[in-house]
Amino acid sequence: MAAPQPLLQVDNLRIEFPTRRGTLLAVDDISFHIDPGEVLGVVGESGAGKSLTGAAIIGLLDPPGRIAGGQIRLDGRRIDNLPYEQMRRIRGKEIGAIFQDPLTSLNPLYKISRQLVETIRTHAEMSPSQARARALELLDAVGIPAASDRLDAYPHEFSGGMRQRVVIALALAANPRLIIADEPTTALDVSIQAQIIALLKQLCRDHGTAVMLVTHDMGVIAETADRVAVMYAGRIAEIGPVAAVIKQARHPYTHGLMGSIPAIGHPVEQLTQIDGAMPRLTEIPKGCAFNPRCPEVFDKCLSHRPDLRPAGGSDVSCWLF
Amino acid sequence: MAAMAAFILRRVFQAIIVMLVVSALAFVMFKFVGDPIAQMVGQDTSLQDRAALRERLGLNDPIIFQYLRYLGDVIQGDFGISFRTARRVDVLLVERLPATLELALVAAVFALAAGVPMGVYTGLYPDRWLSRVFQAVSLAGISLPTFFIGILLILFFGVVLGWLPTFGRGETVRIGWWSTGLLTLSGLKSVIMPAFTLGMFQLTLIMRLVRSEMLEVLRTDYIKFARARGLSNFAVHFGHALKNTLVPVITITGLQLGSLIAFAIITETVFQWPGMGLLFLQAIQFADIPVMSTYLILVAAFFVVINLVVDLLYYVVDPRLRLDRSLAT
């Protein structure tokens, strides 16, 4: 089942933020891989480190954040320590990115055509007219109606959902093999979210593009992802095939997450919730980060940090397994 | 385009109101700034002669008539006769206009040509030592008074080193009614120090503005997305970031161009630059009200025109402001 060589391999990645009151470890020793054409969902609460992981992979961590350890490899080649200019050539061409808010992702002063053509010509030898034709194809592919009329429109002339389609077109412009989609639908209307997710899924399947889909929407994951990684306080709590994680969540945190999702057709009076809140980066407890909130906590959880180990169909970092 | 025309018409209408108010102010000066007759005649002029002169200049008429007559004259391009030189004020000012405009223009070009790149550099690399030097220099530029910078320049480059002339415009060449100092070597040498002095403040202003705007824009999502698309640094910094800083920069530069013209007075005095500012200062000393009020009107007109141009430039730079929304969904 597993491909001989994963497209993206992240090993023991650590991301830290130096602050005046000491260094904060925002992502603490996480490892995972993404196979070619695979959709990996990454879920977690705000601040769990999922967006930072995505930013680290494309080499766009906002300073002072920095990669403090570990390796990121694309096709076996290390990309976490590349000089800026070499990494720039990978961005867009090998790894595309889609951000949360389509309203602010496009430069308001330039026509869509210009932003597309510029991106296409950055990565491929094309004449302006060839690039323009390609831009038109892309707009068609992402489902912009009457694309040839809209090519020379400005971003403010599009609605939010249409803008996110343009953003997807831009991310796909150079046919990257991996797309980091950081909460691509969070800022959109619920009715539009499903369309965008379906579009992203279909386009990536057509082109064999792998996706790292960062979200906190379990429903999106269930529908889209092949595998899912659950992050908690900068660590991976559980990672495995979607069906295994959703149907038989092992980690108490994943279990709690699943319990907090309302199921249609099964009315319940009150949704279960996980008591407490995710610890701040300055206050991550010793041992398992989840231990203060865990219903099944025991002695070992307070002193020793669990590593990811196979349990059932997935890998879980919990001393219960 | 219809919306554009309506916009322009509206602005022109506003401009006319502003100019009417300014002309009223300019006129009021006649009433409140000293007695022009006392300045014009000698000590031993008899009271009858003074009264006759007063009558002849129309200074005894009711004030509203005087204003309407003044307004009528101004509209017809008759700004009156200078009390001091007994020459037509408009001729007097037009003679001085090229000197001031050239000085202001050179100063503005200098301020932009140096201020924008310095601002971009300090915005992109806030921690480099050169950025800190620029910041320190700009602090000096913003806090040292103009005349002080001018005097220091004169002392150093004019007196000690003797490289540059310390006063005047140098040789000028006439092109039609316009006299330019920018085509002769001595003219060019003469303009360096006054333009530097006049432009220094604007330079620091523009630099600090561009810097803070760049810092702001570089944090935006579309810059991050542009980087994520793999665009080169050059395209990101100059194609995407710089253009987004331009709207405030155009505003400030435009308004400052008006100020450059209006406040060239000090620089012109320090360097004895034969422009309108110097003329204005001399006019104040002699209570030469026609010159003063005309200068006021002229400067106001510059401001109004520049503001209009600035507003139109917004439309060129920022598509969101264009009123044609037919494509909007």
Side-chain angles (χ1 to χ4, degrees), chain A residues 88 104 107 110 118-119 123, chain B residues 221-222 227 229-230 239-240 244:
Chain A
R88 175 179 85 67
T104 56
N107 188 334
Y110 292 124
E118 160 188 71
T119 311
H123 299 295
Chain B
D221 285 351
Y222 55 81
R227 290 195 199 282
R229 285 186 274 145
H240 287 266
N244 273 284

Side-chain angles (χ1 to χ4, degrees), chain B residues 113-124:
Chain B
V116 172
M118 283 164 76
V120 170
Y121 186 85
T122 50
L124 289 178

